[in-house]
Coordinates of all heavy atoms in Angstrom, one line a residue:
P10 N -42.3 2.8 1.3 CA -43.4 3.6 1.0 C -43.3 4.9 1.9 O -43.9 5.9 1.5 CB -44.6 2.8 1.3 CG -44.2 1.7 2.2 CD -42.8 1.4 1.9
V34 N -32.3 15.2 6.8 CA -31.6 14.0 6.3 C -32.3 12.7 7.0 O -32.5 11.8 6.3 CB -30.2 14.1 6.6 CG1 -29.4 12.9 6.1 CG2 -29.5 15.3 5.9
L46 N -32.5 2.3 12.8 CA -33.3 1.5 11.8 C -34.0 0.4 12.4 O -33.5 -0.3 13.4 CB -32.5 1.1 10.6 CG -32.0 2.1 9.7 CD1 -31.0 1.5 8.6 CD2 -33.1 2.8 9.0
S57 N -31.1 -3.8 -1.3 CA -31.0 -2.8 -2.3 C -29.6 -2.3 -2.6 O -29.2 -2.1 -3.7 CB -32.0 -1.7 -2.0 OG -33.3 -2.1 -1.8
R65 N -12.9 -5.1 -4.3 CA -11.8 -5.9 -3.7 C -10.9 -6.3 -4.8 O -11.2 -6.4 -5.9 CB -12.4 -7.1 -3.1 CG -13.1 -6.9 -1.7 CD -13.7 -8.1 -1.2 NE -14.3 -8.0 0.1 CZ -15.0 -8.9 0.8 NH1 -15.2 -10.0 0.3 NH2 -15.5 -8.6 2.0
M235 N -19.2 1.6 -2.7 CA -18.7 2.4 -3.8 C -19.4 3.7 -4.0 O -19.1 4.5 -4.8 CB -18.8 1.5 -5.1 CG -17.9 0.3 -5.0 SD -16.1 0.8 -4.8 CE -15.7 1.7 -6.4
S249 N -2.7 -1.5 -6.8 CA -1.2 -1.4 -6.6 C -0.6 -2.8 -6.8 O -1.3 -3.8 -6.8 CB -1.0 -0.9 -5.1 OG -1.6 -1.8 -4.2
A298 N 20.8 -28.3 -19.6 CA 20.3 -28.9 -18.4 C 21.0 -28.5 -17.2 O 20.3 -28.3 -16.1 CB 20.5 -30.5 -18.5
E337 N 9.8 -10.6 9.0 CA 11.2 -10.5 9.1 C 11.7 -9.7 10.3 O 12.6 -10.1 10.9 CB 11.8 -9.9 7.8 CG 11.3 -10.6 6.5 CD 11.6 -9.7 5.3 OE1 12.6 -9.0 5.3 OE2 10.7 -9.7 4.4
M358 N -11.8 -6.3 33.9 CA -11.8 -5.4 35.0 C -13.2 -5.5 35.8 O -14.2 -5.7 35.2 CB -11.6 -4.0 34.6 CG -10.2 -3.7 34.3 SD -10.0 -1.9 33.9 CE -10.3 -2.0 32.2
M457 N -9.1 13.2 31.7 CA -10.4 13.3 32.3 C -11.5 13.2 31.2 O -11.3 13.5 30.1 CB -10.5 14.6 33.0 CG -9.6 14.7 34.3 SD -9.9 16.2 35.2 CE -9.3 17.5 34.0
M509 N -2.3 4.1 48.6 CA -2.6 2.8 49.2 C -3.4 1.9 48.3 O -3.0 0.7 48.2 CB -3.4 3.1 50.5 CG -3.9 1.9 51.3 SD -5.5 1.3 50.8 CE -6.6 2.7 51.3
L515 N -4.5 -1.9 42.0 CA -5.7 -1.5 41.5 C -5.6 -0.3 40.5 O -4.7 0.6 40.8 CB -6.7 -1.1 42.6 CG -7.0 -2.1 43.6 CD1 -8.0 -1.6 44.7 CD2 -7.7 -3.4 42.9
G596 N 6.0 10.0 33.9 CA 6.0 10.8 32.8 C 6.5 12.3 32.9 O 7.3 12.7 32.1
R801 N 38.0 -46.7 -13.2 CA 39.4 -47.1 -13.0 C 39.6 -48.2 -12.1 O 40.7 -48.9 -12.0 CB 40.3 -45.9 -12.6 CG 40.2 -44.8 -13.7 CD 41.1 -43.6 -13.5 NE 41.0 -42.7 -14.5 CZ 41.7 -41.6 -14.5 NH1 42.6 -41.3 -13.7 NH2 41.4 -40.7 -15.5
A819 N 22.9 -37.9 -6.1 CA 21.6 -37.8 -5.7 C 21.5 -38.1 -4.2 O 20.8 -37.3 -3.4 CB 20.7 -38.8 -6.4
F824 N 21.5 -36.7 1.8 CA 22.2 -36.6 3.1 C 22.5 -35.1 3.5 O 22.6 -34.7 4.7 CB 23.5 -37.4 3.0 CG 23.3 -38.9 3.1 CD1 23.8 -39.7 2.2 CD2 22.6 -39.4 4.2 CE1 23.6 -41.1 2.3 CE2 22.4 -40.8 4.3 CZ 22.9 -41.7 3.3

Side-chain angles (χ1 to χ4, degrees):
V34 178
L46 291 175
S57 298
R65 290 178 173 171
M235 296 303 294
S249 59
E337 303 165 40
M358 281 185 278
M457 293 184 292
M509 181 266 295
L515 301 180
R801 301 187 181 180
F824 283 125

